[in-house]
Every structure is written in C-alpha cells, then in structure tokens.
Amino acid sequence: MTKATHQLLVSQPTLSKQLADLGTQLFIRGHRQITLTDEGEYLRARAKEIVQLADQTAANIKQEQVITGTLSIGAGESTGMQRIMSILSGIVQDYPDVQLRLVSGNADEMESALKHGTIDFAVLMANRSLEQYHHIQLPESDHWGLVMRRDDPLGQKDTIQPSDLVGLPLMISEQGLEEHRFQNWWGNLANQMNIIGTYTLVFNAQLMVKQGSAYMITFDNLINNSNQSELTFRPLEPAISETTNLIWKKNIVQSKVTKLFTQRLIASLD
C-alpha cells in the first residue's frame, strides 16, 4: 500500500478511502502479503485492459503525419491468416514504427475482445451473424478433416466418413463442439462417438495424436502434412467447410494504421 501511494502521489488514507468507496473487498491482508479476492482479480484484469487500451490509443495518435501505433488482430488458426500475415509483413516493412499485436483464441473470445476494444480486428472461422460489424469475407476457406498418425490404417483412406470414427478416441475443437458443428455430420452415429477431450490450439492437441492416444478433428493446412511428418490429414466426407471473415466494430473512427490495413486487404482481393 505504501508503494502504491508513492506511485499514485496520494496519501495512504486517501487511497484506503478510494478502495473502500468501491463497496467490496478486493484483497485479504496477510502477515507479509495480500491476496486478491475474486472481485480483486476481476478488477486487476479489467484494469490491465483499460491501461492497454489507453496505451494503444495514445500510440495511435502519437504522430499526425506518420503512420505509427499498434495494430491488433485476434484470430483462431486458419489458412486465411496467411493472407493477413502477408499484408502485415508489408505494412511493418513500409512503416517501421508500426507495432503488431496478435492474439489467439476462439470466436467467442475474439468477439468479446473486439467489443471491449482491446483488439482492432477479429478473424472468425465460423457461421455467425455479422450484421453488427463491418466485415470482409476472405476467399480462403477451411475444411474439416481428421488428423492421425501416418502409420494408422485410416491413413489409407482418401476421405473419412462418420462410420470410420465409431469408438475412436477423438479430440474435437471446443468451439466446433459447442456450436454442434458436427451434429448433422455424425447423424444417427452421434451417440457412438467417443469424444475424450476438446482443444483450442491445434499444436497442443497434435501432441496427443503423435502419442497414438487420440485422433483430432481440425482444419486442413494446420499441421505439417509432408511425407516426413509423423501425422497425416484426411478430409471429412461429406465435406464440411468454414468461411473466413475479418470483422471490426461499426461507428468508430479508425486510426491511420487500421485504415491502411483494411485498404491493403481489400486490394489483395482484386
């Protein structure tokens, strides 16, 4: 508390009163340390978002004539990100003062971050309503399939059908499972699917597949599918695919760097 008062240039009674005025207990005092309550953890997380947003805003308006500031994009794993990364690479080469911030997460997490203003853009690979956002649909699409060890018998098939997966230990995209993305594909075999877990990042889940203890349903082009890889990918049949959309909030004034990004993205589609 003493260090906090020195940094904030206020007296300790003033700071104690401000904390008390919040009307809830933020921490529990110990002998030599304090422990945050659930409310305190919530306040700390939101305060970090607020400070981050303030810093980003200040950086974006730092210089009027030069394109600078931070460009933040949140996305899941998708082949469409290759186009976006190419555009970002060009921007930082042309404008060295631009800083990039890339955030990974599922569609719900990215929409939440966009609404709170902690990212400028979100890339969604899901069938969601986009009416409340500006959006650009990318030409790239993602196709669902099965990742398995290369020496697995299923690797001899060109495509994977629901009957091939009955009883197998499956790792499924958390978002895909929550949105019942495979419900129609399973059909009347849904109750025979052995889903042992979910994932949000392919890299971690593929480690389970390499161990031979699971199969993973994911997008194509997210694993090393060369002949030297331990893993291989086979598309689902009937095919399931997802569109890729870049979204940003309506009714906001874009910074110069965010305008530049959208302009270059649109130009890349011609």
Side-chain angles (χ1 to χ4, degrees), residues 173-223:
S173 157
E174 184 175 276
Q175 179 180 316
L177 191 63
E178 289 176 351
E179 296 178 352
H180 308 289
R181 194 66 183 91
F182 309 103
Q183 198 64 38
N184 291 335
W185 190 79
W186 307 132
N188 58 10
L189 296 178
N191 292 334
Q192 299 182 52
M193 296 299 160
N194 178 25
I195 300 173
I196 65 169
T198 60
Y199 67 86
T200 56
L201 292 176
V202 167
F203 179 82
N204 293 330
Q206 73 176 341
L207 300 179
M208 286 280 290
V209 182
K210 286 183 179 180
Q211 296 294 323
S213 55
Y215 297 76
M216 175 173 58
I217 295 181
T218 187
F219 291 151
D220 53 351
N221 300 313
L222 297 185
I223 67 161

Side-chain angles (χ1 to χ4, degrees), residues 65-79:
Q65 301 301 322
V66 178
I67 292 182
T68 184
T70 300
L71 180 60
S72 55
I73 298 179
E77 297 166 299
S78 166
T79 187

